[in-house]
Amino acid sequence: MRIERFSSQAALYTRAAAIVIEAKQHGATTFGLATGGTMEPLYANICKAAIDFSQCISFNLDEYVGLAATHQQSYAYYMHKHLFHAKPFQASYLPNGLAADPQEEAARYEALLQQHPVDFQLLGIGQNGHIGFNEPGTSFDSVTHLVTLEASTRQANARFFQSIDEVPTQALTMGIQSIMRAKCILLIAVGEAKREALERVLAADYTEEIPATVLAKHPNVIILTDLQERGV
Ligand code: PGA
């Protein structure tokens, strides 16, 4: 793992966009994409950049169960709003949150992923150390699956909804093994709320109780953060 610390978020997101652009220049064609507040400034920078994804494909990490792609809080909607409207891909895949059988949908999505190995994966991190919607306790061997969201995750995401009752209780997410298959991973951790989880990752404190700690075993992870080392 390589970590780069920034004193300003603007500098961090300039660097993050440069890393994405460089990955594409070096031949990445399949991109794993993430959502959440963390990714918004990155996508804003990418939208302004001279980069063309029209020959690339994308896979999103996760999607809520029960929200249509037209729902403003669905991740399909988020991706269109923040990236795809300006930078369309040849094909963009997200799990279908309205699939009649979510387990079957998870298997379908995993099979697609296995046909198209991800070259470059973007990742945020949850306060509880989740990656995608892989909550604490998820097996490091997991592939795409249906999850029940933790109360803390629903609480953290409630800011995007009118009330917490509207936050879906389930989601479909790439598994930890699915994420770890990416050739290169860029993890972005911004804000004090992420400090504890990030420190556990950096300590390579390998435990399924903090899913992101698995990243210490990946050969090619870059971490960008605005958090300075304690006491510095
Ligand atoms: P956030 O979410 O970017 O909205 O903080 C990140 C995550 O939960 O993975």
Side-chain angles (χ1 to χ4, degrees):
M1 290 188 297
R2 190 175 89 218
I3 182 159
E4 298 180 20
R5 296 182 191 267
F6 294 83
S7 51
S8 87
Q9 289 192 13
L12 183 157
Y13 284 109
T14 298
R15 172 75 177 133
I19 290 171
V20 174
I21 291 164
E22 210 176 286
K24 171 143 193 303
Q25 283 166 348
H26 287 157
T29 57
T30 302
F31 287 81
L33 303 178
T35 52
T38 307
M39 296 297 148
E40 289 181 21
L42 169 58
Y43 293 145
N45 283 352
I46 291 174
C47 285
K48 287 184 279 182
I51 184 168
D52 172 19
F53 292 108
S54 63
Q55 302 303 310
C56 297
I57 67 171
S58 70
F59 282 92
N60 264 81
L61 282 169
D62 45 19
E63 179 60 285
Y64 289 116
V65 166
L67 298 191
T70 50
H71 189 290
Q72 293 199 4
Q73 298 311 330
S74 74
Y75 289 160
Y77 189 96
Y78 172 109
M79 290 310 303
H80 181 77
K81 177 176 166 192
H82 293 289
L83 184 64
F84 298 156
H85 73 280
K87 299 289 180 188
F89 284 66
Q90 187 179 76
S92 286
Y93 300 104
L94 288 100
N96 176 6
L98 287 187
D101 182 339
Q103 314 271 10
E104 224 170 74
E105 172 60 10
R108 184 194 71 87
Y109 199 71
E110 182 64 26
L112 260 179
L113 268 173
Q114 295 199 10
Q115 280 162 29
H116 302 280
V118 170
D119 297 309
F120 183 88
Q121 177 70 55
L122 287 173
L123 274 188
I125 183 169
Q127 292 175 39
N128 62 5
H130 73 206
I131 48 177
F133 271 134
N134 294 285
E135 300 285 28
T138 306
S139 165
F140 284 161
D141 295 327
S142 55
V143 294
T144 305
H145 62 290
L146 176 67
V147 293
T148 296
L149 301 176
E150 281 210 346
S152 66
T153 297
R154 294 183 67 235
Q155 189 66 55
N157 290 0
R159 67 190 195 275
F160 299 115
F161 291 80
Q162 304 278 356
S163 80
I164 186 146
D165 300 331
E166 289 182 20
V167 184
T169 56
Q170 291 187 308
L172 285 160
T173 184
M174 280 190 202
I176 293 178
Q177 193 200 100
S178 330
I179 294 170
M180 288 291 279
R181 285 197 304 263
K183 292 182 193 118
C184 175
I185 295 175
L186 173 60
L187 174 77
I188 304 179
V190 167
E192 274 305 319
K194 307 295 174 70
R195 183 182 286 283
E196 199 185 324
L198 181 64
E199 284 182 354
R200 297 290 293 267
V201 174
L202 294 175
D205 207 351
Y206 191 64
T207 167
E208 288 179 346
E209 285 314 308
I210 302 171
T213 59
V214 75
L215 297 173
K217 299 235 169 180
H218 192 283
N220 194 4
V221 174
I222 307 165
I223 300 173
L224 303 186
T225 185
D226 66 338
L227 294 165
Q228 304 307 312
E229 281 182 80
R230 266 190 225 272
V232 174

